Structure formats: structure tokens, C-alpha cells
Amino acid sequence: MFRRKSIAESRLDKALAKYQKGDQVELVFRSFELDPTLPLDQSYPARDYLALKYQLSSEQAQAQLDAITNLAKEEGLSFHFDQAWIPNSRKSHRLPHLASDRGLGKEMAKLLFQAHFTRGLDLAQDQVLKDLGQELGLEAALVEEALQSQDYAARIAADQEAGMALGITAVPFFLFDGRFSISGAQPQSVFEEAVERSFGLVAKPVSLGTSDQTCGPNGCFIE
């Protein structure tokens, strides 16, 4: 059974599990397009995309992806970048908004993570998105409508503008209680400190940084 989460979310979940109030935390996913300039009708193999954007050799790009894969393994996750496609993500962002209207936004976001990182599905393809929607119990007609809806396009644009106003240039990015943020797949200890800060258990500010895995407009890097 494939686990439906990212490296950073796995670390956050482990941090929350250490606190009695952890189950009271509401995780809300927002849309943020890393590379809106990508063509809507063309996706790229992950290694080729990374090499092109960073002007790396194929071997160097593969080494970066292998490093991310190994980090995922440490979290009990299975990433398959040899099968992964890098699409324009605009269409796929519509699904969590549609699912959110039905109380399934978080589940849909996690399913998209799994589809991309583990199952090698091309999230630019309408049929792939329809199948994923149905997998979660959404009717195909609803997904079809969402893929064309200007309302969902407006929601994505609003999330994008809010993210840019916060200065977001890379993902993952976590905003805690609208007061402070963590950028990157930080160590679990950083997430634990953020949780403590959120519940007022510590007085010191959270140390921010971009260690471990961060994905920006130009791809993903291990620092």
C-alpha cells in the first residue's frame, strides 16, 4: 500500500503525534504553482526537467533525485522518480479545491502526492485527473466540470497571490497559525518546535531555514 504524503508532511505528522493536542491541528493545503510557464500540454521526465532547468548533466540530476528518494525512504515513503513526470500543475490544483467543497481536500492533496511521486502518473492529463477523482469517490462529471470552471481557476489564482505575498518561492512551505513559517523538508525537531510554539509551550521563536529537501521554480535540491 502506497503512503499518501510528502517527506515534510511525514515529519510534521510525527511531530504532531508527540503531543496530546496534535490531533487538534487542522492541516489546510493551498495551491502554489512553482513553474506556471510550463506548457499545459507537455510534461517532462523528472530527470530531464531537472537537468534542463539547472543545466546539470544527466548524472548530476539523477544524483539529486536519488538523494531525495533516500530521504523519502527514511520516512517510510516510496518515491519513483524514474517514472515521474513534471507537468504544468494548474489543472491538478483544481481537484483539491473541488474535493475541499466535499470535505475531502486533504485526502485529494495526498492522493495527488502519491500519484506524482510514487505511481508515475502525468497530472497534466485530464483522464488521469478524472480517474483520481473517481478513486476518491468524486463523480467524473464533477471533475470534468471542475477542470473547466473559472471559479476554481480564481481560487487557485487567489492562493497563488497569497503565497507570493508571503514571499514563497519554494515548496514545501508551512504557515503556522498565520504567524510564522517553515520552508523546506526540515528535520522533525524543527517541526516539533513549531508545534510547541503554536500551542504556546515554548517562548523562543522557531529557527527557519531551507535544509534538507526544497523544491523551487528551478527544481529540487538537497542542501
Side-chain angles (χ1 to χ4, degrees):
M1 185 69 174
F2 297 133
R3 295 177 66 192
R4 300 177 177 178
K5 60 180 66 180
S6 65
I7 294 172
E9 188 189 350
S10 176
R11 292 174 177 175
L12 173 60
D13 285 348
K14 290 177 180 177
L16 291 173
K18 297 186 67 173
Y19 301 93
Q20 288 186 338
K21 295 182 179 180
D23 59 357
Q24 298 177 21
V25 173
E26 180 184 10
L27 182 61
V28 179
F29 288 88
R30 300 294 186 187
S31 297
F32 191 81
E33 295 181 74
L34 281 175
D35 193 350
T37 66
L38 282 174
L40 291 171
D41 58 353
Q42 183 178 0
S43 299
Y44 302 87
R47 184 177 61 184
D48 294 351
Y49 175 81
L50 194 61
L52 178 65
K53 293 294 291 187
Y54 273 117
Q55 297 183 330
L56 302 173
S57 69
S58 180
E59 291 75 17
Q60 289 172 321
Q62 187 60 53
Q64 288 291 330
L65 295 175
D66 289 345
I68 297 172
T69 299
N70 289 333
L71 281 178
K73 284 182 180 179
E74 293 176 5
E75 299 299 322
L77 305 174
S78 180
F79 284 7
H80 298 291
F81 285 112
D82 57 322
Q83 304 171 22
W85 293 91
I86 305 301
N88 183 302
S89 61
R90 193 168 306 153
K91 282 186 179 180
S92 64
H93 279 292
R94 294 169 179 258
L95 265 64
H97 286 283
L98 169 65
S100 181
D101 290 342
R102 289 152 181 80
L104 296 170
K106 182 168 65 175
E107 289 76 9
M108 187 74 248
K110 291 184 175 185
L111 182 56
L112 289 172
F113 285 146
Q114 182 201 69
H116 172 69
F117 288 112
T118 303
R119 295 164 61 179
L121 300 181
D122 184 354
L123 299 181
Q125 301 299 317
D126 284 7
Q127 189 57 55
V128 169
L129 297 176
K130 291 176 188 177
D131 290 344
L132 289 171
Q134 288 184 286
E135 192 172 322
L136 198 64
L138 302 175
E139 295 180 10
L142 289 176
V143 177
E144 175 68 34
E145 181 180 353
L147 293 178
Q148 307 300 326
S149 170
Q150 290 304 308
D151 176 54
Y152 291 111
R155 295 193 201 183
I156 293 168
D159 280 355
Q160 187 81 10
E161 290 177 9
M164 293 177 69
L166 287 168
I168 298 175
T169 59
V171 296
F173 184 93
F174 295 84
L175 182 64
F176 289 81
D177 200 26
R179 296 184 292 124
F180 56 91
S181 62
I182 291 178
S183 180
Q186 296 288 330
Q188 182 180 328
S189 59
V190 174
F191 285 103
E192 290 174 6
E193 189 173 355
V195 173
E196 291 175 349
R197 177 71 170 168
S198 296
F199 288 125
L201 301 178
V202 295
K204 59 182 179 179
V206 173
S207 300
L208 305 181
T210 56
S211 62
D212 286 312
Q213 182 227 351
T214 301
C215 296
N218 295 321
C220 302
F221 260 57
I222 302 294
E223 300 184 13

